[in-house]
Amino acid sequence: MKGWMGKFKSLFLLSMLALVLAGCGKENLTALVPKGYGAESSMNLIILSTVIMVFVFLIVILVYTIVLIRFRRKKGQEGYIPKQVEGSKTLETVWTIIPIILVVTLAVPTVAATFDLADESASADGINIEVTGHQYWWHFNYEEEEFATSQDLYIPVGERVYVHMLSSDVIHSFWVPSIAGKMDVNPENVNTMYLEAHEEGVYWGKCAELCGPSHSLMDFKVIAVSPEEYDQWVSDMQNADPEEEPQDAVAQDGKALFEENNCMSCHAIGSAPSAVGPDLTNFANRSRIAGYLEPTKENLVDWLMDPESLKPGNKMTGAYPALSEEEADSIAEYLLQLEHSEITPESAGGL
Amino acid sequence: MSHDHSLNPETMPQEPEKATLEGRNKFYGLWFFLGGETVLFASFFGTYIALRNSTAGGPASTDLFGLGLVFAMTMILLTSSLTSVYAMYHMKNNDFKKMQLWLAITAFLGLSFLALEIYEFTHYIIDYGFTFRSSAFGSAFYTLVGFHGGHVTFGIAWLMALMVRNAKRGLNLYNAPKFYTFSLYWHFIDVVWVFIFTVVYLMGRVG
Amino acid sequence: MSIAATQKRGFGAFLWDYITTVDHKKIAHLYLFGGGFFFLLGGLEAMIIRIQLATPENDFISAGLYNEMITMHGTTMIFLAAMPLLLGLMNAVMPLQIGARDVAFPFLNSLGFWLFMFGGILLNFSWFMGGGAPDAGWTAYAPLSTQSPGHGVDFYVLGLQISGAGTLMGGINFLATIVTMRAPGMTYMRMPLFSWATFITSVLILFAFPALTVGLFLLMFDRMFGSAFFDVALGGNTIIWQHLFWIFAHPEVYILILPVFGVFSDITATLSKKRLFGYTAMVFATILIAFLGFMVWAHHMFTVGLGPVANSIFAIATMAIAVPTGIKIFNWLATMWGGSITINSAMLWTLGFIPSFTIGGMTGIMLASAVADYQYHDTYFVVAHFHYVIVGGTVFGIMAALHFWWPKMFGRILHEGMGKLTFWLFFVGFHLTFFVQHFLGLMGMPRRYWVFLEDQGLDTGNMVSTIGAFLMAVGVVIFLINVFYTWAKGNKAPADPWDGRSLEWAISSPPPYYNFKQTPLVRGLDPLWVEKMEGKGEITPAEPLGDIHMPNSSILPFLISLGFTIAGFGFIFQVDHSAYLILVFAGIGLALLSMLIRSLKDDHGYHIKKEELEREAD
Amino acid sequence: MTNNTNTNHVDSFEKRKKKEEMKKQLISFALMIGFTIIAFIAVAADVMEPMFVVPLILILAVVQVAFQFYYFMHMKDKDHEMPATLMYGGVWAAALTLAGLILIVWW
Ligand code: HEA
Ligand code: HEA
Ligand code: CUA
Ligand SMILES: [Cu+2]
């Protein structure tokens, strides 16, 4: 699949690059500029099939154009009756055989790639992360490393990271277009796929299965860092101290309010297990709030005061006492100090 | 077409059920319908097979099913298939009385089958607390077997209506196809039951 | 009872005539009217979707409403617009093409229509009662559909169950008609391709709909009666729904396309003045597509995690469908080759179809490549694919058929100028709308997204798409004007406006209510053409003039459907209060009573006397 | 309409043919009952491995259903080509449906 495909690929990539430069597609989102193993596999097939399809289409259009030019009824032809042809064995055989050949050309690499991407035999030696899809956020449990995060998934570049996915409610679908294709996150059965990023960076992830009103806002990010940085990040996360008191008074207030307002029943900070809401341990390092909002304090305050207006149907609305602007502000101050590592989305290149 | 197509030995076509266009239409229409029913029941069977071990801690098939009752039900339904064959035999011989008699036996056997099925269901519900809502297995079991039971019920109602309606009229080319299509339908119900006792009860015992 | 007579009687009588009719030609009118209405409704919903997606993070409609909108758009278009329009065409044309006086079961035909219509109305009542329309997508995946609050999904279940039953009846009816009622000499291998397509489509309906019926029952039981098919906590499995749904829904997409393949075959041959190239191959390709169509459903489930073996098998089976479809495309081209092509509105839609559908079909093959589909799945690439085949195929086909058979169905010819204008606006709008969506999908835009975010490179594409949709809407509006214009003062149609080849063109436009005064004798493929070539120009009758047997009209189909619909409301609301069970009993009671009347009361129809037929001028 | 009005007398030949037919049907009935009993015994006796019993009883079921179709429902007779074709079509679609849903169990 590599040799002659390579030529096609470089040609295609060149033209694709032109498209991208013309402003088509955001670099860390589009599937057209693959930055990982799975996405590249898919891209190879996309290119191959596109080439076949363009070829077929051109043939159809060629015949079509000739027909339209030559065989339109001309003036003064009213009584003309063309020869009534029944068919032609040769022709019909030709346009049966050629499509068969083309289809086989596409089918063989498809099957090869399908088995290649389903190969999980090396997962025991790789990094394994449990992914849980919730309406409308993502939870990432680093089981062996014994800590968890939400919304932002950190992975090392160049290694296969196996994600084992299960849903806590309805079906979601885990998709990071630049790195790998998608896989459904079902409630009854763990699905596994692997991510292998080729380049450092922060990549958009999207939920691709209709899961309720805020399906379109169920974004997450994959942060691919160098293996050294990844190890650093893991140890930082493991050593995060949830009890650490904030420095300034406002934030200390916020911490108290956080405890008073029942936030703890859903959100974990540090090692305490939680599954109802996102883990907030490293909240200040989030690339986005609630998956899609710019990580500014105003946005956070808005979120805390009225999550419904930002994410319709989310499960936080109404689950805690109403907050005054001041209270929300203090909590925001506190949350925005929850930072435990130098390795951040920013350091990985930003969104 | 006149209203009276009474059959008598002089005017009887060989296949009264297909002697008229209306009759042929009914004949084909019902056969095609049965083709669709095949897929319908296959979907129920598939669902059942997929869920038959999903007992969610509730009773499983090996706890529930006894073979005696099912054997009796099977014999009854198989026999009713034969009795409807006899009815059709007499229809072709233009013996209306005998046809009605055999049809009556068929209906009676159908009713006995239903009675046993109702007994069976209540038994599971009362003695095992095994209901439609107990588990996915429960839902699938009652749905599959219940839909078959529903088909039996409908068949009996259809048969009764036919018998009563035509009791005074005797056979004619207008109603012969109706009796014939009923018999096809009834055989098909039997076919479905053959798979039910095999897949649900016998395989359920094997585990 | 001729058309003129009905027009003279009052509107009430006219309405009563249609409500009780069992004449396949009038039922066709009903289907076209009902389907057309729902097409406008679905189109309106599409416009609302496109307005919402015109700009990033737009809030023209709320998130919840958006999900209702896409669900109802998809459901309405597929079940209540495209399929009924096709069934209407089949009703109008197929019996004429095979030389029959009616369908096998006229009563059932009417029942099928009313079940569809009432099912559709029931479904759309969800907008006004019970807390909103269904919102789990037209695919209604469990457990989103089982957990969806309010009654929306309940309306979906019962509306589709009722209208689905109607469709199933239609299918069986057409099958029996074609098997038993072909005119003498009309062998299977002389049937026009539209009739063949009707036959094969009916087979698909017969085998595909039961799976939907079962799926809907399971969903209904889970939502209303506490069963646990899709309740994971009690051992349920949500993937069962996906299998059942797609086992139905993939054949369903061929139910949508095969009839228009038939339409295009007949139009291409007629308007190129050539016999269809490779008739036998065309028939077998149709059968092969239907056959393969049942083995590929899991290509909608590549990302479910069925494993590489299943994915590979289904990928290969799916790709195989390119071969018979390709045969069709090339045979159409070969039919035109060497012909003498008249380009009128009907032919324009046909010519527009070929490249559009080819693109849609090819993107289908691209989707079939499982690993590539990991990227395409549930993105706008898929939305683009299926609108290319459905709009570029089914809708173009329906439009072509309407322009082609309008004279036969209504006795008047649609205005050519407006016809062409409609085509060009719609054609350009269609490509504008959907072509960019391929790229939107690949650039990372999943489908069923209420909003797309700013700065993700998706703005321009979406804007273009919305503009295209408006062009389509203008096209549709002009078509409506054309219809009203034609109805008011269109040109009267001759019996055979296009120099036709098949039997429907041998009788007047519109045909008399008994179709053929004498059953025609068919002497070859393209029977009318055969007679024209032999200089006679008219069909030889197969029987002497005699009495014609006709079925009686009946109000019962209407009442049966009404009964089931009332029961449907009862089922939906009995969850809230058991008093609504009264509706269930009353509705089912009405339906059963009507059925009982039907089976107890002999209905032998009536005869048109020979003398009466002789009196009617030719 | 009445296409088939050429009537036949219920002559002795016809009678004999029907008798003959009836005998065949009785034989198939006996076989069906026999198969059923074998299936029940195979399971009740509890001596065979499930690996063998399950295919055995499934085969018995299929064969007995074939009897129902071909003899009781006359699918073997002429004029049943279309019914048979569509029945097999239904069986084909049914088999695929079953395969799909059984796939879930193995998955
Ligand atoms: C009219 C309806 C219609 C038709 C005809 C088709 C036709 C085809 N469809 Fe499509 N499809 C839909 C309606 C339709 N589809 C819908 C509604 C959905 C989405 C449902 C949802 O999720 O909501 C869908 C989704 C869909 C998917 C799932 C995508 C996903 O969700 O991830 C796939 C995957 O394989 C697919 C494939 C195909 C193929 C291979 C064909 C083939 O039949 C096409 C064959 C035609 C050609 C190939 C062109 C002509 C051939 C030639 C000129 C010969 C030479 C060609 C080659 C050698 C390639 N379709
Ligand atoms: C037969 C099927 C069919 C047809 C014809 C169409 C036609 C159209 N569709 Fe549809 N579509 C589907 C079937 C169809 N669609 C399905 C199955 C889905 C998936 C749903 C889901 O995800 O569950 C879908 C989803 C879908 C989406 C994706 C939504 C999403 O994923 O978020 C979009 C977005 O652009 C869209 C647009 C359109 C447009 C612009 C048209 C246009 O072609 C429409 C043209 C028609 C008009 C423009 C009519 C205009 C008429 C008037 C303006 C007059 C109104 C007057 C009165 C009512 C009196 N469709
Ligand atoms: Cu989660 Cu969409
Ligand atoms: Cu499909």
Side-chain angles (χ1 to χ4, degrees):
Chain A
M1 217 167 87
K2 295 270 144 68
W4 59 273
M5 279 282 301
K7 281 193 194 118
F8 264 131
K9 221 176 80 184
S10 43
L11 230 162
F12 199 83
L13 276 184
L14 257 165
S15 47
M16 242 35 270
L17 199 70
L19 264 177
V20 172
L21 289 178
C24 284
K26 194 173 164 66
E27 221 208 325
N28 60 353
L29 173 63
T30 173
L32 292 170
V33 191
K35 297 280 176 61
Y37 187 83
E40 223 157 54
S41 255
S42 298
M43 195 60 196
N44 288 337
L45 282 166
I46 293 174
I47 294 166
L48 173 62
S49 55
T50 310
V51 169
I52 296 177
M53 298 305 144
V54 168
F55 169 71
V56 173
F57 184 71
L58 287 181
I59 292 181
V60 171
I61 283 301
L62 182 72
V63 182
Y64 180 84
T65 319
I66 296 176
V67 163
L68 278 190
I69 294 172
R70 276 187 50 196
F71 301 109
R72 289 180 70 151
R73 159 118 23 125
K74 318 263 168 8
K75 279 244 159 58
Q77 256 193 359
E78 276 68 33
Y80 167 64
I81 293 174
K83 189 158 163 262
Q84 304 289 311
V85 190
E86 193 179 327
S88 152
K89 280 257 155 47
T90 335
L91 277 177
E92 291 181 55
T93 317
V94 167
W95 60 58
T96 311
I97 301 289
I98 292 179
I100 292 180
I101 295 172
L102 292 176
V103 159
V104 171
T105 316
L106 181 59
V108 172
T110 297
V111 173
T114 308
F115 278 91
D116 180 36
L117 288 190
D119 179 14
E120 293 156 20
S121 54
S123 71
D125 311 326
I127 298 169
N128 291 277
I129 302 171
E130 284 175 9
V131 174
T132 314
H134 299 269
Q135 281 170 325
Y136 305 95
W137 57 282
W138 297 88
H139 193 66
F140 306 112
N141 185 18
Y142 291 71
E143 244 243 301
E144 289 153 34
E145 293 79 7
E146 297 185 327
F147 67 88
T149 70
S150 296
Q151 314 286 34
D152 285 0
L153 174 68
Y154 289 73
I155 60 168
V157 161
E159 281 180 49
R160 289 204 171 166
V161 177
Y162 294 83
V163 286
H164 307 274
M165 305 182 286
L166 193 67
S167 166
S168 73
D169 34 55
V170 303
I171 301 174
H172 305 275
S173 189
F174 179 96
W175 185 35
V176 197
S178 306
I179 298 183
K182 61 184 75 62
M183 188 164 237
D184 289 4
V185 182
N186 298 319
E188 65 269 275
N189 217 319
V190 174
N191 267 342
T192 300
M193 69 186 271
Y194 60 79
L195 305 173
E196 185 184 328
H198 292 332
E199 270 176 47
E200 289 184 33
V202 182
Y203 301 98
W204 282 92
K206 300 256 170 196
C207 174
E209 183 62 60
L210 180 62
C211 53
S214 283
H215 159 61
S216 59
L217 301 172
M218 192 172 158
D219 287 3
F220 62 100
K221 262 68 56 188
V222 170
I223 293 143
V225 294
S226 69
E228 301 77 44
E229 287 174 311
Y230 178 74
D231 291 337
Q232 176 66 44
W233 178 76
V234 168
S235 82
D236 287 347
M237 287 301 287
Q238 284 166 333
N239 296 326
D241 175 12
E243 299 304 322
E244 200 179 357
E245 277 299 314
Q247 306 298 324
D248 57 305
V250 186
Q252 282 168 3
D253 239 24
K255 185 165 192 267
L257 282 166
F258 190 81
E259 278 152 22
E260 274 163 37
N261 281 301
N262 209 21
C263 313
M264 301 290 242
S265 64
C266 301
H267 294 288
I269 294 181
S271 52
S274 104
V276 190
D279 188 304
L280 299 179
T281 309
N282 59 344
F283 181 77
N285 289 341
R286 287 271 203 280
S287 50
R288 284 290 187 272
I289 297 170
Y292 82 101
L293 295 163
E294 292 278 350
T296 63
K297 193 163 169 194
E298 297 83 76
N299 279 339
L300 182 52
V301 171
D302 287 349
W303 170 261
L304 293 177
M305 293 188 56
D306 186 10
E308 191 62 20
S309 68
L310 296 170
K311 244 179 159 171
N314 78 80
K315 305 292 177 199
M316 170 156 150
T317 304
Y320 60 99
L323 300 174
S324 71
E325 178 135 22
E326 224 171 307
E327 288 170 324
D329 196 77
S330 313
I331 298 180
E333 189 61 42
Y334 163 59
L335 290 177
L336 287 173
Q337 292 184 15
L338 293 173
E339 188 161 24
H340 302 282
S341 178
E342 302 284 291
I343 316 299
T344 66
E346 286 310 306
S347 78
L351 254 180
Chain B
M1 190 185 309
S2 68
H3 286 219
D4 194 18
H5 276 292
S6 287
L7 304 179
N8 56 56
E10 278 72 50
T11 61
M12 172 157 112
Q14 264 193 41
E15 290 180 316
E17 75 275 7
K18 281 186 281 180
T20 63
L21 177 63
E22 282 81 2
R24 273 201 305 283
N25 283 341
K26 285 207 171 68
F27 166 83
Y28 284 109
L30 194 100
W31 262 109
F32 299 159
F33 171 70
L34 294 183
E37 289 265 286
T38 309
V39 186
L40 184 102
F41 276 104
S43 306
F44 281 126
F45 272 107
T47 308
Y48 176 81
I49 293 172
L51 295 176
R52 70 197 190 111
N53 295 321
S54 304
T55 54
S61 58
T62 38
D63 306 330
L64 292 165
F65 302 150
L67 289 185
L69 187 67
V70 177
F71 186 71
M73 287 163 77
T74 305
M75 286 303 144
I76 290 174
L77 208 61
L78 284 181
T79 310
S80 82
S81 208
L82 182 73
T83 55
S84 71
V85 166
Y86 266 109
M88 287 308 105
Y89 173 68
H90 290 298
M91 181 182 92
K92 294 202 176 174
N93 281 340
N94 194 22
D95 190 338
F96 182 67
K97 285 250 167 57
K98 282 204 182 130
M99 181 187 85
Q100 287 280 74
L101 178 68
W102 283 106
L103 287 178
I105 298 176
T106 306
F108 172 75
L109 289 171
L111 281 172
S112 328
F113 174 87
L114 264 189
L116 288 184
E117 184 152 274
I118 291 169
Y119 165 77
E120 186 205 0
F121 282 8
T122 40
H123 169 64
Y124 293 154
I125 292 169
I126 293 170
D127 298 345
Y128 292 91
F130 173 66
T131 72
F132 186 56
R133 303 178 187 196
S134 301
S135 60
F137 165 60
S139 305
F141 169 79
Y142 284 108
T143 305
L144 170 59
V145 182
F147 258 85
H148 175 263
H151 274 72
V152 174
T153 315
F154 178 79
I156 295 171
W158 180 6
L159 175 56
M160 303 273 216
L162 272 181
M163 288 174 62
V164 172
R165 175 67 185 95
N166 294 301
K168 293 241 173 61
R169 301 204 291 188
L171 266 182
N172 56 36
L173 288 186
Y174 179 69
N175 62 24
K178 297 189 176 192
F179 285 111
Y180 188 82
T181 46
F182 163 78
S183 85
L184 285 179
Y185 174 83
W186 193 256
H187 291 308
F188 186 78
I189 292 181
D190 210 24
V191 165
V192 174
W193 181 257
V194 168
F195 284 110
I196 291 189
F197 84 69
T198 305
V199 171
V200 176
Y201 294 99
L202 294 184
M203 275 167 63
R205 280 287 296 209
V206 175
Chain C
M1 242 197 271
S2 68
I3 295 289
T6 40
Q7 273 169 357
K8 271 179 211 119
R9 284 183 289 146
F11 182 69
F14 174 76
L15 207 63
W16 178 256
D17 188 31
Y18 268 97
I19 288 179
T20 59
T21 188
V22 293
D23 176 0
H24 71 97
K25 296 177 290 301
K26 285 191 182 150
I27 291 176
H29 295 172
L30 288 172
Y31 266 119
L32 292 180
F33 175 79
F37 169 75
F38 284 121
F39 178 76
L40 292 180
L41 201 60
L44 197 66
E45 285 153 3
M47 295 313 292
I48 295 174
I49 294 173
R50 277 321 323 168
I51 293 173
Q52 166 65 19
L53 294 180
T55 53
E57 299 182 40
N58 197 358
D59 61 353
F60 176 66
I61 57 175
S62 73
L65 187 57
Y66 183 82
N67 287 355
E68 294 171 27
M69 212 50 86
I70 58 153
T71 305
M72 288 299 280
H73 164 68
T75 314
T76 303
M77 281 298 198
I78 301 249
F79 292 97
L80 308 179
M83 253 204 314
L85 287 169
L86 294 171
L87 287 175
L89 291 170
M90 293 175 186
N91 255 313
V93 176
M94 181 274 287
L96 302 181
Q97 282 195 334
I98 64 170
R101 292 225 171 87
D102 206 329
V103 290
F105 308 106
F107 182 90
L108 223 58
N109 203 11
S110 158
L111 181 57
F113 168 76
W114 288 110
L115 283 172
F116 141 66
M117 196 64 202
F118 276 108
I121 291 172
L122 175 69
L123 179 58
N124 275 284
F125 259 92
S126 64
W127 286 115
F128 313 112
M129 48 202 298
D135 60 356
W138 85 285
T139 51
Y141 275 16
L144 184 66
S145 55
T146 51
Q147 292 172 12
S148 165
H151 285 302
V153 176
D154 302 332
F155 277 100
Y156 171 92
V157 168
L158 282 145
L160 290 192
Q161 196 70 285
I162 291 172
S163 71
T167 307
L168 193 55
M169 281 174 198
I172 292 178
N173 200 349
F174 290 144
L175 282 176
T177 307
I178 290 177
V179 171
T180 63
M181 294 174 69
R182 280 165 292 120
M186 178 58 81
T187 58
Y188 283 110
M189 290 314 274
R190 283 177 182 173
M191 284 202 301
L193 267 188
F194 182 68
S195 292
W196 256 111
T198 304
F199 188 64
I200 300 299
T201 306
S202 302
V203 175
L204 286 175
I205 290 177
L206 180 64
F207 296 147
F209 268 74
L212 176 71
T213 308
V214 172
L216 290 174
F217 270 126
L218 304 189
L219 188 52
M220 173 175 168
F221 292 166
D222 263 21
R223 280 184 65 92
M224 296 181 190
F225 305 119
S227 61
F229 293 103
F230 310 127
D231 184 346
V232 177
L234 287 176
N237 189 315
T238 61
I239 310 301
I240 291 176
W241 167 266
Q242 293 187 28
H243 278 294
L244 288 176
F245 184 83
W246 290 118
I247 285 170
F248 150 73
H250 186 80
E252 166 70 16
V253 307
Y254 293 120
I255 294 172
L256 296 180
I257 205 69
L258 289 184
V260 304
F261 282 177
V263 169
F264 291 128
S265 302
D266 287 0
I267 293 183
T268 311
T270 308
L271 294 180
S272 307
K273 277 199 188 296
K274 262 187 75 194
R275 86 178 253 171
L276 188 67
F277 192 90
Y279 174 88
T280 321
M282 288 298 249
V283 170
F284 282 102
T286 312
I287 296 174
L288 197 58
I289 292 173
F291 176 80
L292 290 172
F294 275 98
M295 321 172 36
V296 303
W297 77 91
H299 66 213
H300 297 273
M301 299 169 66
F302 281 146
T303 65
V304 166
L306 298 176
V309 180
N311 278 4
S312 301
I313 293 172
F314 282 103
I316 294 170
T318 304
M319 290 178 192
I321 297 186
V323 178
T325 318
I327 293 178
K328 289 195 160 268
I329 299 269
F330 291 117
N331 274 335
W332 286 318
L333 291 174
T335 305
M336 291 191 280
W337 189 281
S340 169
I341 307 171
T342 312
I343 301 191
N344 55 19
S345 315
M347 196 62 191
L348 266 183
W349 287 103
T350 309
L351 291 171
F353 153 83
I354 289 178
S356 310
F357 181 82
T358 305
I359 295 176
M362 314 262 229
T363 55
I365 301 301
M366 295 171 76
L367 288 166
S369 174
V371 166
D373 186 62
Y374 296 165
Q375 291 286 19
Y376 305 130
H377 178 67
D378 265 338
T379 68
Y380 266 82
F381 191 92
V382 176
V383 175
H385 155 67
F386 69 74
H387 284 93
Y388 259 87
V389 277
I390 290 189
V391 179
T394 308
V395 174
F396 280 26
I398 289 169
M399 293 303 274
L402 286 177
H403 285 87
F404 190 63
W405 280 306
W406 200 274
K408 190 50 63 184
M409 295 187 290
F410 299 100
R412 284 166 193 269
I413 299 191
L414 286 170
H415 188 271
E416 265 301 314
M418 278 191 266
K420 286 185 174 147
L421 186 58
T422 305
F423 169 78
W424 284 112
L425 283 167
F426 199 91
F427 183 78
V428 173
F430 158 72
H431 284 283
L432 268 186
T433 309
F434 297 113
F435 195 72
V436 282
Q437 291 187 354
H438 294 110
F439 297 97
L440 287 176
L442 283 167
M443 278 155 31
M445 181 163 170
R447 61 191 282 207
R448 296 165 170 178
Y449 261 29
W450 164 54
V451 289
F452 58 96
L453 302 181
E454 260 162 6
D455 282 337
Q456 300 203 327
L458 306 172
D459 308 17
T460 326
N462 274 297
M463 193 40 138
V464 170
S465 186
T466 301
I467 294 171
F470 274 96
L471 281 185
M472 276 194 276
V474 178
V476 173
V477 169
I478 292 177
F479 179 71
L480 289 181
I481 297 174
N482 193 353
V483 168
F484 284 114
Y485 171 84
T486 306
W487 176 66
K489 44 171 118 173
N491 292 332
K492 282 255 178 336
D496 181 13
W498 320 120
D499 195 3
R501 311 172 74 87
S502 40
L503 282 179
E504 74 267 33
W505 305 112
I507 49 178
S508 64
S509 302
Y513 61 105
Y514 45 79
N515 293 358
F516 296 92
K517 202 172 263 184
Q518 288 155 287
T519 302
L521 179 69
V522 174
R523 302 197 300 138
L525 181 70
D526 293 340
L528 185 58
W529 186 259
V530 170
E531 305 293 349
K532 280 178 186 168
M533 287 304 103
E534 295 186 359
K536 242 176 66 191
E538 62 182 54
I539 297 283
T540 326
E543 55 175 19
L545 191 63
D547 291 0
I548 296 179
H549 176 235
M550 298 295 290
N552 285 324
S553 307
S554 168
I555 185 69
L556 293 174
F558 184 84
L559 292 180
I560 295 174
S561 312
L562 182 66
F564 281 124
T565 308
I566 293 172
F569 277 110
F571 272 117
I572 291 168
F573 289 105
Q574 51 83 28
V575 181
D576 301 340
H577 197 295
S578 52
Y580 285 106
L581 282 174
I582 294 173
L583 285 182
V584 175
F585 295 127
I588 301 238
L590 175 60
L592 284 182
L593 187 73
S594 310
M595 289 198 249
L596 203 66
I597 295 176
R598 166 71 182 168
S599 61
L600 294 188
K601 212 176 119 251
D602 284 358
D603 182 357
H604 295 288
Y606 65 98
H607 283 82
I608 313 169
K609 289 272 164 283
K610 187 176 160 190
E611 299 73 50
E612 205 175 317
L613 289 170
E614 275 164 349
R615 250 180 286 123
E616 274 191 39
D618 274 36
Chain D
M1 267 121 282
T2 46
N3 284 6
N4 190 356
T5 38
N6 54 330
T7 54
N8 299 54
H9 291 274
V10 190
D11 52 28
S12 56
F13 171 69
E14 273 305 316
K15 269 240 161 78
R16 237 195 6 260
K17 225 174 80 187
K18 279 175 193 148
K19 275 257 161 58
E20 194 63 18
E21 172 84 29
M22 197 60 225
K23 212 166 83 199
K24 276 190 203 146
Q25 289 180 328
L26 269 174
I27 293 171
S28 27
F29 179 70
L31 285 171
M32 280 155 61
I33 296 286
F35 284 171
T36 308
I37 292 174
I38 296 175
F40 271 86
I41 289 178
V43 171
D46 211 11
V47 286
M48 274 188 272
E49 286 287 310
M51 276 269 287
F52 295 110
V53 183
V54 172
L56 173 71
I57 59 180
L58 283 176
I59 290 170
L60 288 174
V62 169
V63 175
Q64 99 154 264
V65 159
F67 276 121
Q68 283 269 4
F69 274 117
Y70 278 94
Y71 286 92
F72 281 17
M73 297 168 82
H74 303 283
M75 222 162 80
K76 64 177 173 29
D77 295 356
K78 69 163 177 46
D79 247 13
H80 283 68
E81 294 79 15
M82 264 300 157
T85 311
L86 281 167
M87 206 62 225
Y88 278 111
V91 169
W92 166 243
L96 288 165
T97 309
L98 283 168
L101 290 167
I102 291 171
L103 189 71
I104 296 178
V105 186
W106 289 333
W107 161 64

